[in-house]
Amino acid sequence: MKSGEQLSFAGRLGTDFKVDKVTGFVIPGHGISFTTQPDSLGKFGRVGVPVDASSIPNGLEIVQVGKPGHYELAVKPGVNMTPDEFQGKFGAVRPVAGCP
C-alpha cells in the first residue's frame, strides 16, 4: 500500500492471479503479494503492513513464491473459488494489532 492509503487488499486478474478458462475458478498457487522485508517496498513507493496470520480466511493460504521473503496469499489447492469469491475474502485479512 502507498503511504497514507487505507489498508485494503485487491488482486489484479492476470497479474496477481489467473483463472482457469474451462472452470472459471482461480488457479491455486499465486495471489496478492506479501513480504517479510517491508523496507524493500520503499523503492516502489509502498509501505509494508504486518498481517495477522490468524485472519487468513478458509480456502486461502500463504505460499512462498520467488525470492526469499516474498509470499503470496493464494487459493489452496483443491479449493474451487471464483474470482469474486477470492477478492471477497481479502476483506477479512487484518493487520497486526497496532498497525495501520
Side-chain angles (χ1 to χ4, degrees), residues 15-56:
T15 299
D16 298 318
F17 68 96
K18 294 182 175 34
V19 173
D20 184 297
K21 292 177 182 173
V22 174
T23 66
F25 296 129
V26 175
I27 298 171
H30 290 283
I32 60 171
S33 293
F34 288 90
T35 183
T36 58
Q37 302 162 349
D39 294 342
S40 69
L41 301 175
K43 63 185 172 191
F44 302 110
R46 302 209 175 267
V47 295
V49 176
V51 171
D52 179 352
S54 70
S55 72
I56 303 301

Side-chain angles (χ1 to χ4, degrees), residues 66-81:
K67 298 178 189 176
H70 180 258
Y71 297 85
E72 295 184 13
L73 183 58
V75 174
K76 286 183 179 179
V79 173
N80 294 329
M81 192 176 298

